[in-house]
Amino acid sequence: MELFPSTEQQKKSQVKKSGLVVVKNMKIVGLHCSSTDLHAGQIALIKHGSRLKNCDLYFSRKPCSTCLKMIVNAGVNRISYWPADPEISLQNEASNPMTTDDAKLDAKAVERLKSNSRARVCVLLQPLGCSMVQFVEETSTKFDFIQKIVKSQPDSNADFYTACRQERIKEYESLFLISNEEMHKKILMTIGLENLCENPYFSNLRQNMKDLVLVLATVAASVPVFGCFGFYNSESQRTNETDHQSLPQEIARHCMIQARLLAYRTEDHKTGVGAIIWAEEKSRSCDGTGAMYFVGCGYNAFPVGSEYADFPHMDDKQKDREIRKFRYIIHAEQNALTFRCQEIKPDERSMIFVTKCPCDECVPLIKGAGIKQIYAGDVDAGKKKADISYMKFGEVEGVSKFTWQLNPLHTNALEFHDPTARENGVQKTKSLDDQQHQSKKLCLGHY
């Protein structure tokens, strides 16, 4: 959530943004991002109030005393945070004695609040599975968006994805990982984490942080900035009518990356699918997400409470239809609607982001729930695979459909690439600044 696209006003802020996930009874009930005026913890209190009781809060920065005293008072169960500089950034102001003194006083206040409250405040950074990074990388290179680029330019596949991934790694490391180890230790000591400054704890902490950054960057690279979410082909004739309602590309991409992360929690051994529902209030809110607010999320899994062997795990290559899993798996869209934390309001713009094209089971549900927009990949649109049909997606009316498009409105393949620049049989890409400038120009339905 810390990476939620900023407004120009927020980009000028010297204090680092912070993100927050609010969980209650193992269900996500809030996704928040700090604004220019409020920290993430303050926003959580405004949004949830007494409903924070018994919730678990996950911060991307250590909360300050202002946030902590309010959320502790609300009766939260657990507060976990990323072990780098806190909400009031120390890294950029370390040379300022006044700021450092204030930070030390704040750290003491945080520790006193922590020791005198029932809420558990801790660093929660567990090591990833030994093959997690490799698994995420393999599945990311096979994801629908990357596959479109592969089909259009197979020779540039490996270099293209690797370049995207390296850019994301650099970006995320600069945001979430303090490069200088000594500086990191000083900040940990300032915010009351002296016990993490000694080896092997410090080395393990750094490695776990690097592994998680690598996973996040790998997932983000699977939704490249070299395309955009445009109107589904069947609605191209209505582009001018609905274009003003489209979501900015940066936000659409951010939400699709969230859906991609959810897909890794799947119980389907073959295909993970993630879905996340957002809505837009009529008036701008206090949250750093602007008018956008979280409604619900889900991933494909077997019914709640079922054991591993209760239902078939076979894929569609099995000849016997009775042992196929399709009729037993709850789809990501279905789980997102079932376990949503807020109602979908008919007078507000609501949108669902799905990592794959919704099937015939889910399209009527999405429309019936009152969701106004669907953002998805379109690789399976209009196809039928074994028992699964995707025929209704193109036919649904009253819902705006957006799919990730490499070539908006049938423009030439890979518009972001210089067709005259080739080296070793692989096309060179323009500079990152040029790519970002081009992607900002890609308003939905227009190029």
Side-chain angles (χ1 to χ4, degrees):
M1 283 308 300
E2 185 170 314
L3 292 170
F4 196 93
S6 302
T7 63
E8 289 302 318
Q9 184 182 10
Q10 288 173 319
K11 287 178 181 177
K12 295 176 183 177
S13 175
Q14 296 299 313
V15 178
K16 285 190 177 181
K17 290 171 63 177
S18 56
L20 171 62
V21 180
V22 183
V23 178
K24 190 167 190 175
N25 298 328
M26 300 298 291
K27 180 173 76 173
I28 296 175
V29 296
L31 295 176
H32 305 291
C33 178
S34 61
S35 64
T36 51
D37 299 320
L38 296 169
H39 292 189
Q42 295 171 314
I43 290 169
L45 187 84
I46 291 171
K47 294 288 187 181
H48 302 279
S50 62
R51 294 190 300 275
L52 284 177
K53 188 174 183 179
N54 296 324
C55 285
D56 294 335
L57 276 59
Y58 298 86
F59 286 85
S60 66
R61 307 277 165 187
K62 185 176 181 179
C64 65
S65 61
T66 303
C67 294
L68 191 63
K69 65 185 178 185
M70 291 189 294
I71 56 182
V72 162
N73 186 54
V76 299
N77 179 53
R78 185 186 181 111
I79 300 163
S80 304
Y81 58 92
W82 182 259
D85 48 328
E87 285 186 327
I88 300 175
S89 178
L90 292 176
Q91 190 174 10
N92 297 332
E93 304 292 340
S95 59
N96 187 334
M98 184 66 73
T99 304
T100 304
D101 290 342
D102 286 346
K104 288 179 179 177
L105 289 172
D106 193 66
K108 287 181 180 178
V110 167
E111 288 304 309
R112 182 168 290 185
L113 284 164
K114 171 184 170 182
S115 61
N116 288 285
S117 70
R118 74 175 187 88
R120 185 180 177 192
V121 184
C122 63
V123 172
L124 181 63
L125 196 66
Q126 298 173 343
L128 296 173
C130 58
S131 60
M132 180 68 178
V133 175
Q134 181 183 353
F135 174 70
V136 171
E137 184 175 359
E138 289 173 355
T139 53
S140 292
T141 54
K142 297 174 184 176
F143 193 50
D144 291 357
F145 304 161
I146 293 295
Q147 287 302 303
K148 278 195 173 184
I149 296 174
V150 173
K151 289 177 182 177
S152 63
Q153 291 217 338
D155 293 339
S156 65
N157 173 32
D159 285 354
F160 173 80
Y161 177 74
T162 302
C164 288
R165 187 165 175 254
Q166 286 303 316
E167 289 294 343
R168 297 287 78 76
I169 290 172
K170 288 179 183 177
E171 177 189 354
Y172 290 7
E173 283 185 343
S174 67
L175 284 170
F176 301 125
L177 187 64
I178 299 168
S179 58
N180 186 306
E181 292 190 8
E182 290 305 314
M183 174 68 75
H184 193 183
K185 286 182 179 180
K186 287 180 181 178
I187 289 174
L188 289 176
M189 287 189 286
T190 305
I191 60 178
L193 296 176
E194 297 90 347
N195 59 324
L196 293 177
C197 294
E198 299 295 330
N199 281 326
Y201 306 112
F202 183 72
S203 298
N204 292 338
L205 176 72
R206 295 276 299 183
Q207 187 58 50
N208 292 340
M209 293 174 78
K210 288 178 181 178
D211 288 345
L212 187 53
V213 165
L214 188 59
V215 167
L216 293 173
T218 302
V219 173
S222 67
V223 189
V225 295
F226 303 98
C228 74
F229 287 90
F231 285 98
Y232 184 66
N233 292 339
S234 66
E235 292 196 359
S236 58
Q237 68 274 14
R238 294 196 288 138
T239 296
N240 293 333
E241 174 189 344
T242 56
D243 181 55
H244 67 282
Q245 297 179 350
S246 60
L247 200 63
Q249 291 295 329
E250 289 184 352
I251 295 179
R253 180 175 173 273
H254 177 87
C255 295
M256 186 57 71
I257 292 171
Q258 291 178 329
R260 285 276 290 130
L261 287 167
L262 282 164
Y264 284 104
R265 299 201 64 181
T266 183
E267 294 178 2
D268 187 335
H269 293 180
K270 183 184 178 186
T271 306
V273 181
I276 188 163
I277 305 172
W278 284 82
E280 194 171 49
E281 296 173 309
K282 288 187 174 181
S283 60
R284 184 175 178 82
S285 68
C286 64
D287 210 319
T289 58
M292 299 273 289
Y293 67 93
F294 171 74
V295 175
C297 62
Y299 53 90
N300 55 333
F302 291 106
V304 172
S306 59
E307 299 293 336
Y308 176 80
D310 286 349
F311 302 108
H313 283 252
M314 302 301 180
D315 60 23
D316 57 15
K317 293 181 181 179
Q318 297 293 323
K319 294 181 179 180
D320 188 349
R321 295 181 64 188
E322 290 186 5
I323 61 172
R324 291 180 186 168
K325 63 192 174 187
F326 173 71
R327 300 181 190 281
Y328 306 98
I329 283 278
I330 311 296
H331 295 194
E333 303 94 316
Q334 297 165 1
N335 273 323
L337 288 168
T338 302
F339 299 109
R340 65 184 184 272
C341 62
Q342 301 196 50
E343 291 306 312
I344 297 168
K345 301 175 184 177
D347 59 334
E348 293 181 352
R349 180 168 60 147
S350 51
M351 56 211 81
I352 186 169
F353 300 82
V354 191
T355 56
K356 291 180 69 68
C357 178
C359 70
D360 291 2
E361 269 190 24
C362 297
V363 167
L365 287 173
I366 294 169
K367 181 180 178 181
I371 291 175
K372 304 290 194 302
Q373 297 178 345
I374 303 173
Y375 291 80
D378 66 347
V379 172
D380 294 326
K383 297 179 181 178
K384 187 171 183 179
K385 296 183 173 181
D387 289 342
I388 311 174
S389 171
Y390 299 92
M391 304 295 184
K392 292 184 179 179
F393 178 72
E395 299 171 359
V396 64
E397 296 180 357
V399 180
S400 299
K401 303 184 293 294
F402 303 91
T403 57
W404 190 86
Q405 299 175 9
L406 182 60
N407 319 314
L409 296 184
H410 308 290
T411 55
N412 293 330
L414 287 176
E415 291 285 359
F416 296 106
H417 286 183
D418 183 358
T420 62
R422 287 181 176 270
E423 183 178 11
N424 298 327
V426 178
Q427 284 192 329
K428 290 182 179 179
T429 59
K430 295 182 180 180
S431 69
L432 182 63
D433 290 341
D434 289 341
Q435 294 162 3
Q436 291 175 339
H437 177 69
Q438 288 278 44
S439 64
K440 288 178 181 177
K441 290 171 63 179
L442 271 173
C443 296
L444 293 178
H446 288 79
Y447 182 72

